Amino acid sequence: GAGVSQSPRYKVAKRGQDVALRCDPISGHVSLFWYQQALGQGPEFLTYFQNEAQLDKSGLPSDRFFAERPEGSVSTLKIQRTQQEDSAVYLCASSPQGAMPQETQYFGPGTRLLVL
Amino acid sequence: GDSVTQMEGPVTLSEEAFLTINCTYTATGYPSLFWYVQYPGEGLQLLLKATKADDKGSNKGFEATYRKETTSFHLEKGSVQVSDSAVYFCALSAPRTSGTYKYIFGTGTRLKVLA
């Protein structure tokens, strides 16, 4: 079946613009995660959804970052008033069940955001 | 706080050489441990995992053993191939006091295998 998809794959934004990044998880997956990956670094956790509920947003770096998953499937990560330090690859992952420590996460290809 | 430390790359090996990529962790409680691999142009995918002490995860000839006494989860392969060239990420998941889980990744180790 289809894996996790993300769109757009690349986004160039001018500083101060708002951007919206989309994630389509694997159908039926309960958990959805967003990560930020800076160049040469590992993914850093941003936020977690169980179905439509955002249970953990402790990794969101500022109130300019907002995520939603209104129907428990597709999710959108929105960044308002983008700054240069927001330039990174944004990864989405899903897993079949609610958050459990041993669950495998299935990652999308990422959206590369460049803020000029 | 909890963390994952893995050896810096790049690691360059000849085909059929033995591979070790070191990974150590700091965590409260009993984390689950993972190795993810990212092939060029692709997303991260699970390579192997271990959920309790002394468990050995294995896949595609790769192995890693969960060593609680040394807080390590080193990745090994006896004979690498050119197709193993990729970036390897060590990761852990551990419970938070809130009842959710934290997921922490290392910085990644790039492996290049030469024919």
Side-chain angles (χ1 to χ4, degrees), chain B residues 9-36:
Chain B
V11 174
T12 303
L13 296 173
S14 298
E15 205 166 25
E16 299 183 3
F18 184 85
L19 169 71
T20 299
I21 300 178
N22 290 338
C23 172
T24 57
Y25 68 91
T26 304
T28 53
Y30 301 93
S32 295
L33 301 174
F34 305 82
W35 278 100
Y36 282 84

Side-chain angles (χ1 to χ4, degrees), chain A residues 9 33 35 37 40-45 48 55-56 58-59 91 99-109, chain B residues 32 34 36 38 41-46 49 51 89 93-96 98 100-108:
Chain A
R9 292 293 309 278
F33 306 82
Y35 293 87
Q37 186 177 18
Q41 301 297 311
E44 290 201 8
F45 172 80
Y48 162 68
L55 297 185
D56 189 341
S58 61
L91 299 173
M100 299 172 65
Q102 67 271 28
E103 275 266 282
T104 298
Q105 295 185 33
Y106 297 84
F107 283 82
Chain B
S32 295
F34 305 82
Y36 282 84
Q38 186 171 30
E42 300 183 15
L44 277 77
Q45 56 187 272
L46 180 71
K49 64 182 178 182
T51 59
F89 293 92
S93 66
R96 296 181 191 274
S98 62
T100 59
Y101 292 89
K102 64 183 80 173
Y103 300 89
I104 299 173
F105 284 76
T107 55

Side-chain angles (χ1 to χ4, degrees), chain A residues 6 8-13 21 37-39 86-91 109-115, chain B residues 38:
Chain A
Q6 293 185 245
R9 292 293 309 278
Y10 303 92
K11 177 69 178 178
V12 179
L21 312 180
Q37 186 177 18
L39 189 63
D86 300 335
S87 296
V89 176
Y90 290 85
L91 299 173
T111 293
R112 185 177 297 274
L113 173 65
L114 176 62
V115 181
Chain B
Q38 186 171 30

Side-chain angles (χ1 to χ4, degrees), chain A:
Chain A
V4 178
S5 61
Q6 293 185 245
S7 60
R9 292 293 309 278
Y10 303 92
K11 177 69 178 178
V12 179
K14 292 183 179 179
R15 189 163 54 93
Q17 279 186 331
D18 297 349
V19 298
L21 312 180
R22 177 186 170 107
C23 172
D24 284 81
I26 294 173
S27 177
H29 276 198
V30 169
S31 294
L32 186 145
F33 306 82
W34 283 99
Y35 293 87
Q36 181 188 61
Q37 186 177 18
L39 189 63
Q41 301 297 311
E44 290 201 8
F45 172 80
L46 294 177
T47 187
Y48 162 68
F49 290 86
Q50 184 169 313
N51 295 310
E52 68 279 4
Q54 188 175 20
L55 297 185
D56 189 341
K57 52 183 180 179
S58 61
L60 296 176
S62 77
D63 58 7
R64 295 187 295 104
F65 287 71
F66 172 77
E68 60 183 4
R69 194 187 185 198
E71 297 179 357
S73 55
V74 171
S75 177
T76 303
L77 176 67
K78 298 179 180 178
I79 309 173
Q80 298 176 324
R81 304 181 303 282
T82 53
Q83 303 295 315
Q84 287 185 323
E85 61 263 28
D86 300 335
S87 296
V89 176
Y90 290 85
L91 299 173
C92 176
S94 68
S95 64
Q97 301 182 46
M100 299 172 65
Q102 67 271 28
E103 275 266 282
T104 298
Q105 295 185 33
Y106 297 84
F107 283 82
T111 293
R112 185 177 297 274
L113 173 65
L114 176 62
V115 181
L116 302 177

